[in-house]
Amino acid sequence: MEALTAAEAAPSAANVTALTSAADALTKASARYGSAPTGDIYHAFAKLMEIAGLLGEWQLAVLNAAPEADRFLRAAKERAQAMKGESVPPLLEQLPDLVEAISTTAQAKAFVAQLAKVPLPIGLYHVAPEEPRERHTKHDPDTESAKAKLAVAFLEFTVDGRPLADVHYMAPMQIHDLDVTVRVSRWPEKAERLVLRPVSVVSASFYQLPTFEFLAPSGDGPFKFQDHKHATLTMAQSILARPLEFKYTAEFEPRGTEQPVEVVGQRTLRLEAIDWERNPQTGYTSIDRKLIQIRDQLRGMAGVPEDDIAEALKIAVSLGKLAGQAVQDNRFPQPLKEKDFQTETLRHLRSEPSVGSTLQEHPRAGGGITDLSFKGLPIELKAETDKTLQLQDCQGYVEQSQAYAVANGRRLGILCVLDTSPKKAPPFPAEEGIGLLFRNQNDRRVPIITLLIQGNLTKPSQFSV
């Protein structure tokens, strides 16, 4: 519901991602209730949340004058039409009709608002079905007894031998193994094959994903199939780009055979074409991976605008370089006061073409004076010369960073801490000093990207006995 409320208030890429993730989680949760009515309601509601995500994509594309924006609206209406081919639980049966009537972004927002007001029941029990799970389908009273049970296809993917992740990273312009395991509850009498096809709003020139075909088996179900093919993402993505999303649909052939097939499990693939070697961000792969992880965390948080994330990542990438260089070259060999650290950081950030003159020094915010600011995003700098720090030790600086962020109308801030205290141990990996900190665990509304830079390092030879 938080994801729906945020999407209604301000459509953004982050909110669309949060909606899609929540829909997938609800789909998985619906299976826990077996054939209980709550499971059917959750399953149908998850489909409506996916439609809301497509409408959010459409609103963003329209507002940004993106090409072919209507493809998102068409996809949303097609999914709503498909839902009407099934018997939607009474609580939700009016909502697919609302989607088909949408022609303006205001109507899309009204649909999301209506969806957010639906009083979902709380599931209390599981009903074990005698047959594999059957979703509601419309029945013709004259032929109901003759119709077969709905076929369920459970999908499970691996990429290069590794289980599919929520967001899976694939090096672009390389051939990757894509393996699928399919479990089918039953096989219609006249079906000759089961076909799995990828569908997406992504341009076909950006990817090559296979179609899987399985011939009719012998014997009684359930059946298990496996196949091995290859997949390629043809272009590298920017660190600011969102994952490419694909869904696999299933249908029996020939077309006259009983339809549809209910697809559950890993039906959605979110793939990201990150090339750590050819397109590095900081020059340090482990730091790049950590920043990507932080980016994904931020995108999953309702209310954090995509613009804030994009601007913050530009600064975090530059400061990530500094953190890596500090460990590799002992860039800060002597204790450094906060004023001097600010001068060094200002010089470092200004050298970035994407930052340059847009970086401001000592702007006022909330009645105080921030150290640095990038397009209104506050960058708070601290220096410690006495006590050796770990990332969590920077928690004491978070409230000040949050206060500056909120005063500037931002939902995100940057905190960079230099530790030049005397060192009695080797440095820890630079990426371990980078993460998201919050005011406290109960107040996670304004995350602070925190980077701890290590200085005044002891020479490795001094650790020898």
Side-chain angles (χ1 to χ4, degrees):
M1 289 304 177
E2 290 180 0
L4 283 169
T5 302
E8 174 194 358
S12 69
N15 291 338
V16 170
T17 300
L19 265 179
T20 305
S21 299
D24 279 354
L26 191 58
T27 298
K28 293 176 182 177
S30 70
R32 300 174 187 170
Y33 296 95
S35 59
T38 300
D40 292 317
I41 294 173
Y42 284 4
H43 185 77
F45 193 83
K47 289 185 176 181
L48 290 167
M49 289 183 69
E50 290 179 347
I51 290 173
L54 286 170
L55 292 175
E57 295 263 25
W58 174 58
Q59 293 178 73
L60 285 174
V62 169
L63 293 173
N64 294 325
E68 299 183 17
D70 282 350
R71 70 187 191 276
F72 296 108
L73 180 59
R74 292 195 301 270
K77 290 186 175 184
E78 286 294 328
R79 293 202 189 180
Q81 182 64 36
M83 285 190 70
K84 293 173 67 176
E86 305 171 2
S87 183
V88 180
L91 182 65
L92 308 169
E93 61 185 358
Q94 301 299 323
L95 292 170
D97 290 329
L98 295 179
V99 177
E100 293 193 314
I102 291 174
S103 60
T104 67
T105 56
Q107 290 173 325
K109 291 186 68 175
F111 168 77
V112 175
Q114 185 71 19
L115 189 60
K117 295 176 182 177
V118 173
L120 290 179
I122 298 176
L124 298 178
Y125 60 90
H126 167 90
V127 176
E130 295 180 3
E131 299 284 344
R133 183 180 177 89
E134 177 185 2
R135 299 294 176 193
H136 286 293
T137 56
K138 288 185 176 179
H139 296 284
D140 181 345
D142 296 330
T143 59
E144 182 173 354
S145 60
K147 288 190 76 173
K149 300 293 185 182
L150 181 68
V152 178
F154 183 90
L155 308 185
E156 185 177 358
F157 289 95
T158 63
V159 179
D160 295 332
R162 293 179 292 122
L164 184 71
D166 287 341
V167 176
H168 206 100
Y169 300 103
M170 292 174 54
M173 296 173 287
Q174 295 183 17
I175 296 176
H176 298 269
D177 292 337
L178 183 63
D179 296 271
V180 66
T181 299
V182 186
R183 295 176 177 86
V184 182
S185 60
R186 52 173 296 279
W187 194 275
E189 182 178 350
K190 297 181 180 180
E192 298 177 0
R193 68 186 69 84
L194 174 66
V195 182
L196 305 181
R197 290 187 178 90
V199 295
S200 178
V201 296
V202 177
S203 171
S205 63
F206 292 169
Y207 67 94
Q208 295 175 5
L209 292 182
T211 295
F212 296 94
E213 292 190 11
F214 304 97
L215 298 180
S218 58
D220 298 325
F223 305 98
K224 179 180 178 180
F225 306 91
Q226 292 180 310
D227 199 3
H228 166 83
K229 291 195 175 182
H230 298 98
T232 301
L233 298 180
T234 58
M235 296 185 183
Q237 290 177 263
S238 160
I239 189 176
L240 304 179
R242 296 169 60 207
L244 306 177
E245 185 170 308
F246 309 90
K247 290 185 182 295
Y248 265 91
T249 63
E251 62 180 350
F252 288 109
E253 291 186 348
R255 290 300 181 98
T257 307
E258 169 198 334
Q259 299 293 340
V261 186
E262 181 71 15
V263 182
V264 297
Q266 294 177 332
R267 61 197 182 105
T268 301
L269 284 67
R270 293 190 184 91
L271 306 178
E272 190 150 19
I274 298 293
D275 193 335
W276 308 106
E277 301 298 329
R278 298 181 184 178
N279 188 31
Q281 301 297 317
T282 65
Y284 300 89
T285 300
S286 57
I287 295 178
D288 286 354
R289 291 182 183 275
K290 189 59 171 284
L291 293 178
I292 291 287
Q293 179 184 344
I294 290 173
R295 182 207 63 184
D296 292 343
Q297 285 181 265
L298 291 171
R299 284 179 172 171
M301 299 176 64
V304 181
E306 189 73 18
D307 288 346
D308 283 13
I309 297 174
E311 304 302 350
L313 282 174
K314 292 177 183 177
I315 299 300
V317 165
S318 183
L319 294 177
K321 294 178 186 176
L322 193 61
Q325 294 167 4
V327 170
Q328 185 176 21
D329 300 326
N330 195 16
R331 181 161 173 172
F332 302 99
Q334 302 294 330
L336 203 65
K337 295 181 179 180
E338 189 170 304
K339 180 180 179 181
D340 297 324
F341 177 49
Q342 180 174 314
T343 301
E344 287 291 323
T345 305
L346 178 66
R347 184 182 297 114
H348 174 79
L349 290 174
R350 282 263 170 84
S351 68
E352 298 284 354
S354 61
V355 178
S357 62
T358 54
L359 187 69
Q360 293 182 306
E361 188 177 13
H362 298 313
R364 291 186 174 273
I369 301 176
T370 61
D371 293 323
L372 300 173
S373 177
F374 176 62
K375 297 183 179 180
L377 183 78
I379 306 167
E380 186 64 17
L381 304 175
K382 297 294 180 181
E384 173 62 53
T385 59
D386 297 325
K387 183 177 69 172
T388 300
L389 302 177
Q390 300 291 325
L391 179 61
Q392 289 302 320
D393 296 323
C394 301
Q395 186 68 46
Y397 305 124
V398 168
E399 286 196 2
Q400 183 181 3
S401 298
Q402 178 176 326
Y404 286 140
V406 172
N408 282 353
R410 296 286 191 161
R411 294 293 298 269
L412 183 61
I414 299 279
L415 170 64
C416 185
V417 181
L418 175 65
D419 172 12
T420 54
S421 63
K423 302 296 188 296
K424 298 181 181 179
F428 51 80
E431 67 273 13
E432 292 183 9
I434 301 173
L436 280 183
L437 295 182
F438 303 87
R439 181 170 174 266
N440 57 58
Q441 290 304 310
N442 296 322
D443 185 358
R444 302 170 67 87
R445 293 171 295 177
V446 184
I448 304 298
I449 301 178
T450 305
L451 300 97
L452 175 59
I453 298 176
Q454 303 170 81
N456 194 16
L457 304 179
T458 301
K459 292 182 178 180
S461 59
Q462 296 186 16
F463 292 113
S464 299
V465 177

